[in-house]
Amino acid sequence: MNFDLTSEQDQLRDAVRALGRRYGHRYFVDKAKAGEHTTELWQEAGRLGYLGVNIPTEYGGGGGGITELAIVCEELAAAGCPLLLLVVSPAIAATVINRHGTEEQRKRHLPGLADGSQKIVFAITEPEAGSNFHRLATVARREGDDWVLSGRKCYISGVDEAQFVLVVARTEDSSTGKLKPALFIVPTDAAGLTRSKLDMEIVSPENQFLLYLDEVRLPGDALVGGSLDAGLPALFAGLNPERITVAAMGAGTGRYAIERASEYTATRKVWGGRTIGSHQGVAHPLAHAAVQVELARLMIQKAAALYDAGRDLEAAVSANMAKYAAGDAAALAVDTAVQALGGAGMTTEYGVATLLGAVRAGRIAPVSREMILNFVAQHVLGQDKSY
């Protein structure tokens, strides 16, 4: 068992940390409050090869795995720049297309995903079904050589920044008459595809949308993998990378908050010339939060290692646990940092309260902590399925 990063992974961590700190949390917040995107950071990360670390070299990527992409997610978040589209585009879309797309789809999309010139977002969640693909109402039907999609999606991140959206729909199996999931690569400017922005109480440069698919006609090659049999494995292919990178982003955010609070409490003096960090009532909660973040990081490392080793079933358990642990740890770290800073913690200047909405959302999305507990109870503890 080895907890050391390789020299290449160490170099990646250092380089991404340096890039993130050149931009910093103020850049992130200013972009969000201006209704703008972190375009400069994204483009530079793409030029430097950080967005494509998990994409094979033959398609312009770095040839690494989810371990490397988790490092990128964590270090940018630790610099105060938690980029949600890292989870959506390189982690989910690139993984799905690389593992289950046709060769034509790989050649068309992976190079752009690797250098950041192309973004593909992900659409599974629906107003009535949530993310339960068994109850999805978005349906795709075959008309000649084309596919026609109709339905609604909600909480879809970054559609306004992307050229394509990976839509999960249901098709009818001609042999059984039952509906089965399928994934389609849909241009965001396709006729019949419209969107409306959701107003969220989260400080983020990345927006959430409702999507409406009204008889969206697509060519046959929009179907991921070129076969309906690819639908279910393609859908599951993106789930573990999603959970791992979301967890990494949460751990990085927790590190950022604890670092900001620790700098403040180590220098702030109020009573008798002693720093407030010398008081256990201030130091112990921060230390406790730091322990929780480090424990989450260990589970993230395990989950990524299992996934990159091709041990998908084991990785699923660890990825869910990592997401659960990191979601709680990040929320605890940010809340504890705000408390330690007192009134300063609620100001934009100190850059901590600006993360409260995001870390709270991290305990809900992309899968709630309750559904993770259901998963662990069933698959680890051997309990009957409860839903």
Side-chain angles (χ1 to χ4, degrees), residues 218-262:
L218 303 169
D221 61 6
L223 175 66
V224 171
S227 166
L228 293 179
D229 292 334
L232 194 58
L235 174 59
F236 282 115
L239 297 184
N240 287 340
E242 175 190 49
R243 283 150 175 70
I244 294 167
T245 49
V246 164
M249 191 167 65
T253 300
R255 284 173 50 202
Y256 167 82
I258 292 168
E259 180 180 351
R260 295 290 291 160
S262 298

Side-chain angles (χ1 to χ4, degrees), residues 57-102:
T57 54
E58 57 264 40
Y59 303 109
I66 294 301
T67 296
E68 285 73 20
L69 187 59
I71 289 171
V72 175
C73 290
E74 181 182 346
E75 290 306 322
L76 287 179
C81 298
L83 300 186
L84 179 58
L85 287 192
L86 278 171
V87 174
V88 179
S89 198
I92 300 176
T95 298
V96 167
I97 292 171
N98 180 51
R99 291 186 63 170
H100 296 284
T102 64

Side-chain angles (χ1 to χ4, degrees), residues 18-365:
L19 172 65
R21 288 183 173 177
R22 277 202 289 110
Y23 285 87
H25 190 59
R26 171 61 70 175
Y27 164 82
F28 180 88
V29 171
D30 286 348
K31 287 290 184 179
K33 292 192 172 183
E36 299 174 355
H37 304 305
T38 52
T39 305
E40 301 87 354
L41 174 55
W42 184 272
Q43 290 178 345
E44 186 167 359
R47 288 196 301 271
L48 294 171
Y50 305 151
L51 302 181
V53 289
N54 62 313
I55 293 174
T57 54
E58 57 264 40
Y59 303 109
I66 294 301
T67 296
E68 285 73 20
L69 187 59
I71 289 171
V72 175
C73 290
E74 181 182 346
E75 290 306 322
L76 287 179
C81 298
L83 300 186
L84 179 58
L85 287 192
L86 278 171
V87 174
V88 179
S89 198
I92 300 176
T95 298
V96 167
I97 292 171
N98 180 51
R99 291 186 63 170
H100 296 284
T102 64
E103 182 59 23
E104 180 183 349
Q105 288 167 345
R106 294 189 192 101
K107 289 179 177 178
R108 182 181 181 189
H109 297 290
L110 291 182
L113 292 174
D115 66 18
S117 62
Q118 184 179 130
K119 294 177 184 175
I120 301 180
V121 296
F122 184 60
I124 181 172
T125 309
E126 295 186 357
E128 300 300 326
S131 56
N132 180 3
F133 72 87
H134 295 289
R135 296 186 58 196
L136 295 182
T138 300
V139 175
R141 71 175 188 273
R142 199 71 192 251
E143 287 193 0
D145 293 331
D146 294 341
W147 289 97
V148 180
L149 274 63
S150 293
R152 294 185 300 160
K153 299 290 182 180
C154 62
Y155 302 115
I156 310 306
S157 307
V159 180
D160 56 334
E161 302 180 59
Q163 293 83 16
F164 297 91
V165 54
L166 193 59
V167 175
V168 184
R170 301 185 73 190
T171 63
E172 184 174 320
D173 187 334
S174 59
S175 61
T176 65
K178 295 181 179 179
L179 294 176
K180 58 193 298 186
L183 277 71
F184 296 87
I185 304 173
V186 181
T188 51
D189 62 355
L193 178 64
T194 57
R195 64 179 187 248
S196 61
K197 184 173 175 290
L198 284 165
D199 290 328
M200 308 290 289
E201 295 299 323
I202 298 174
V203 178
S204 174
E206 295 154 327
N207 298 313
Q208 301 292 313
F209 291 89
L210 289 166
L211 287 188
Y212 308 92
L213 298 102
D214 183 11
E215 298 287 288
V216 176
R217 184 172 294 273
L218 303 169
D221 61 6
L223 175 66
V224 171
S227 166
L228 293 179
D229 292 334
L232 194 58
L235 174 59
F236 282 115
L239 297 184
N240 287 340
E242 175 190 49
R243 283 150 175 70
I244 294 167
T245 49
V246 164
M249 191 167 65
T253 300
R255 284 173 50 202
Y256 167 82
I258 292 168
E259 180 180 351
R260 295 290 291 160
S262 298
E263 290 171 351
Y264 181 86
T265 56
T267 57
R268 172 74 166 165
K269 296 179 180 180
V270 179
W271 305 109
R274 299 176 63 185
T275 63
I276 62 173
S278 68
H279 299 287
Q280 292 178 352
V282 175
H284 281 189
L286 285 173
H288 174 64
V291 169
Q292 300 309 306
V293 169
E294 188 61 23
L295 290 174
R297 294 181 75 203
L298 288 173
M299 185 53 76
I300 294 163
Q301 187 176 352
K302 177 181 179 180
L306 288 170
Y307 182 82
D308 288 339
R311 296 159 64 178
D312 286 359
L313 293 178
E314 295 166 272
V317 172
S318 293
N320 276 285
M321 288 183 172
K323 194 273 173 187
Y324 183 100
D328 278 5
L332 174 67
V334 172
D335 185 68
T336 302
V338 170
Q339 189 70 22
L341 269 68
M346 294 304 297
T347 66
T348 302
E349 176 186 356
Y350 281 88
V352 181
T354 44
L355 294 165
L356 282 170
V359 295
R360 188 61 187 84
R363 301 178 78 207
I364 300 169

